[in-house]
Amino acid sequence: MPVKLPFESVKISPDEKLQDKQDTIELIAQLEDLAKRHPKKGAVRKFTNLIADTNTPINSWKFNEWDYASKKVSLPTYARGLFTKGNEIICRGYNKFYNVNEFLEVSEDQLKKNTTGPYTLTVKSNGCIVFISGLEDGTLVVCSKHSTGVRDDIQKNHAMAAQRALESQLIGIGQGKERLASALYELKLTAVAEFCDDSFEEHVLEYKNDRAGLYLHGLNFNTPRFRTYPMKKVNEFGQMFGFKETKSRRFETFEELIKYLSNVANEGTFEGEEVEGFVVRCYRTENHEDFFFKYKFEEPYLLYRELREVTKQFIRGGPQNVHFGKHKLICMDYLKYIMPLMHDNQELREQYLDNQGIIELRKKYFVARGKTGLEVIDEEVSMAKLEDEMRLLSFGDSQICKYAVVTVATIGCGKTTTSLALANLFPNIIGHIQNDNIRRPVGNKLVAGALEILINRPIVILDKNDHKFIERKQIFDDFDQLNEVIPTSKLKFICLNFLRNRPQEDKDLWNITRERILERGDNHQTIKAAGKGITKAEKIIQGFIKRFQPVDPGREPDSKFDLIINLDVTSPDSSYANVKTVVDNLISFASDLNLTRPTEEQFQEAFKSALDYKPSVNKIVHSKGGPRAPAYFGIVIPNAEELQNKVVKLIHSTGLDWKTYETLKNTDRLLNDLHVTIIHYKSRKTNGESRALWNMYVKQVFFDDLTKIDENSPKIKGCSIPLPSSPTADIKLEKLCSNDKLVCIKVSVLGLYHADGREIHLTAGNKFPHVTLGTISSEIKSVESNNLLNDICEFHATNGIQCLDFEDSEENTLKGLPIFAYY
Ligand code: IDP
C-alpha cells in the first residue's frame, strides 16, 4: 500500500526514469566487470550477504578510499556506500565529499567559482553513517557504510545495532517498520542517517540518554547520478518516522556562508551546542547537480583525541610511556588531574581502554579547570612560548635523534607495504630493511644493517614479524651490542603495533591476512602461496598467529619502546590508513626532524607503488657485524689557489729549484680539492686507543654536527656532507715537504670546534696531519705523504728530500675551515 507523505516528492519525468534505469543496469555491469578483474585488490570489492531476516542476497560495492580523489583513476560511480540487488540500487550513499581546502578543487576560491547556492549548512553529527531503504514486500534494509545483515566474521556489527535502534525508534512512535520500508521503496530513496550512541560506541562528542539515536541527514535517490532531497524535506520525513533532527541553516551566497563559518569557528558551537563541523550542501554551477563539502573544526577535537591517546598510553604503560603531541602542556596538566582517579580504579582503567568513559573523564577535567576546551587551548599558547624559550636555553632535548622502528605483527598484516609506502614518502629520512631479504642465518644482520642505514638517515624500519617477546628482546639486545656510535640517549625505539588484541580470537585477521597472502601468490621471498603452496602458506600464517604475544608496555622488553603506535588490520585495505597513522605519529613524536605532512596525492602515490612492490629474491643485505661509519674525517681547504700561492711564494723566497713541484705543475697534477685528514676509519684497527678515538669522532663530530646539516645545502665534491654550518678547525702551515713522488704540507691542528662554536676536545687521529698537494702519477697514492713525513720527522731523513719551514705568522694560520666526513 503506497504511503501518503506529508510533502510533495521531488518529481521525475518518465524520460528521466527510463534513463536512470538504463544507467543503473550499465553501472552494475561495470561494477561486476571491475570486481572480476582483480577480486581482492582491484578498483572495487564486491561483498554479498543476506538482508537481515530474509533469504534475499544483497551486494555491497566498495572502492579503495584513495581512488575517489585520484586524478588517474575514473570510477564508475563516486557513491560512498552502494548496495544493489539484481539490477536495482537498494541503497546509495552521498558522493564522496571533502573538507574545504583539502584539495585544490575544494579550495575556497574554487568552491566560490564552481558552486551555486543556496548553501545549506547542516550540523555534522559524530557517529557512524547508516543507509536505510525498503523492499517491495515491506522489508526494511539497514546498512552501515559497506555491510548489512547478520555476520559472524566481525566483532561489532554497526548495521545490526543501527537496525535495532531504528526498530525501537519506530515502536516508540507507534509506527510499523513496514511503513518506513514501503515509503522508501515507493519513493526509490535511501534515508541516510548518523547512528550516535555512546552505549554502543563512543566517538568524540557525547551522545547519551536523550541525545543517543539516529540523526537523519539525507534522502538520496537510488540512481547512479547523485541526487538528494532538500534539507527541509529531509526534516519533514525525519519527523514523520521519529528520527532525530539534523539542524541546518540556509545561506543564499557563498560569501554569507564563509562569513558565518569564520565567525563560528572561534566558538566551535552551533546554537550553543558543541559540534565537530558542518556539511554544506549546494549545487555544481556547470550542471546544477547536488554537491557537498565539509567544514570541520580542528579544535578542540584535536585536543580531545590527544587527551584520549595519552590516557590510554598512561593506563597501558605508566608515565614513562606517555608521548605528547601538539597539546603537550594541557595533556600533562590533565594527566596530573586524572592520575589519582585512575590509581585505585581498575574498572575505570579497563573501561577506558574499551572506549567507555572517555568523554566523562574529559568533562570532569574541564569542569575542575572551570574552562571549556577552547579556553584551555587559548591559555596553552602563552605556556608554549615559555617552552620555546626554555628550549632555546637548551632545556629539553633539541638534538637530532635516531629512530629504530620495530614492527610487531603476523604475516600479511601489511608490514612491508606500510614500510615501503613510508620510505617512498620520506626517501631521505626513512630507510627500510626487510628480514626476508637477509641471507640465512640472519643472526644479528638485521640490526647491523639497520645501524648502517641510521648512519645516513634518522629513521629505519626493521621489517620483521617480531611476534614474540623473545624476538623483541633480541632486537634490543642486538642494538645494545652492536651500536658503537649513536649515543644511547639519542636512539629511540618506536613500535608499530599491528595487532592490539589477541589475534588468536580475531577471525577478521585470519580472513584478511590469509586472503592477502593467497592473492600475493609467489611474490614473496620465502612464502609461496600459489598453486599447491596454499596449505603450507596457511600453516605458516597460522603458526605465527598461534604463537603471537601481544605488545605489553608494562613489561620488558616492550617497556623499552619509547613510543607504541597502534595500528589496525581490520579491513583488507587497512595499510593505507596505517601509513597515515604512522606519519602523524612521527610528525609529533620525532619533532626534531620537522617532517611535513604529505598531501593526499603524495600518500596515494607512495601507497600505490608500495602495493606494486615485488621482491627480488637476490636482494641480499651484506652486513658484517658493526655499522659502517664514514671512511674518514677531514678538514677542507676551501681556497686551493690561495694555498698554492703561499707555496710558490715560499719556494721563490729560497731561490731553490723544487723539481717535483714543477713537474706536478707542468703535468697538471696539482690537486684542486685539498684537505687534511684528521682520522681514518682504518686507524681504529691499530689499537684500542685509536678505536676509542674514532668512536669519539663519530659521536661528537658526526652525530652532534654533521648529521644535522640540511641535505640541500651545497656539497663539496667527493664528500656527501655540505659546507655551511659544519663543525670547523683551525690549522697552521708548518713545513713544505717533497721527494721525487709527491709534495705535501705538514700542518698542525690548532683546534676543532662544533658548529655552535664549542670546542671539540679531541686530538687528531693522524700522527702527521698534512695536505697533499699532488703526486706525480696515479699509481702513487696521497697516503704516501704519511711515509714521507714519518721519514722526515722520525728519522730525520734528507736523502732526495726537500723541506722548507713556513714562517710562524698569522698569514699561515688558517681558521674556521669546515670539517667533513668522506665515504
Ligand atoms: P607483511 O609484510 O606483513 O607480510 P605485506 O607483504 O605488506 O604483509 O602484505 C601482504 C599482501 O597484501 C601484499 O601482496 C600486499 O600488496 C597486500 N596488501 C597489504 N596491505 C594492503 C592494503 O591495504 N590494501 C590492499 N592490499 C594490501
Side-chain angles (χ1 to χ4, degrees), residues 451 479 481-486 626-627 684 691 694-695 699:
L451 278 163
F479 266 100
Q481 219 205 340
L482 296 178
N483 172 30
E484 286 180 352
V485 291
I486 308 169
R684 63 206 279 282
R691 186 190 177 87
W694 169 258
N695 284 341
K699 263 187 204 159

Side-chain angles (χ1 to χ4, degrees), residues 27 31 44-45 58-65 68 75 77-84 89-97 129-133 143-148 190-192 220-226:
L27 170 64
L31 291 170
V44 73
R45 273 190 294 265
I58 183 166
N59 299 321
S60 149
W61 302 95
K62 184 181 178 188
F63 296 99
N64 294 314
E65 279 298 314
Y68 284 109
L75 298 178
T77 172
Y78 284 79
R80 195 149 170 267
L82 182 71
F83 293 82
T84 63
I89 293 177
I90 302 295
C91 283
R92 193 220 198 270
Y94 303 125
N95 271 12
K96 167 91 181 165
F97 57 95
I129 200 162
V130 292
F131 304 116
I132 304 158
S133 183
C143 311
S144 64
K145 207 187 308 156
H146 299 298
S147 169
T148 189
T190 298
V192 191
N220 288 350
F221 282 89
N222 293 334
T223 52
R225 61 187 164 130
F226 175 43

Side-chain angles (χ1 to χ4, degrees), residues 100 116 159 193 195 228 245 270 283 329 345 360 398 442 489 508 520 522 536 550 569 638 685 691 701 743 747:
V100 176
T116 314
F195 176 43
T228 191
E245 186 194 346
F270 182 82
Y283 304 93
L329 298 172
N345 195 337
E360 199 69 43
S398 62
V442 175
S489 64
D508 275 355
R520 188 171 71 182
D522 281 350
K536 196 169 164 210
V569 189
K685 293 212 176 111
R691 186 190 177 87
V701 180
V743 182
V747 304

Side-chain angles (χ1 to χ4, degrees), residues 9 19-20 28 64 73 168 175 182 245 255 262 270 320 335 399 426 428 481 660 673 698 717 720 726 780:
S9 57
Q19 187 65 48
D20 285 338
I28 294 173
N64 294 314
V73 177
S168 67
Q175 287 266 21
S182 304
E245 186 194 346
E255 287 76 14
S262 46
F270 182 82
Q320 292 81 16
L335 283 176
Q399 306 277 23
F426 300 100
N428 296 325
Q481 219 205 340
T660 315
D673 296 316
V698 174
K717 220 164 87 192
S720 58
S726 60
I780 297 163

Side-chain angles (χ1 to χ4, degrees), residues 41 411-417 516 520 572-575 607 611:
K41 220 163 60 173
I411 295 168
C413 282
K415 296 178 298 293
T416 304
T417 309
R516 281 183 182 169
R520 188 171 71 182
D573 51 11
S574 55
S575 304
F607 189 68
L611 279 184

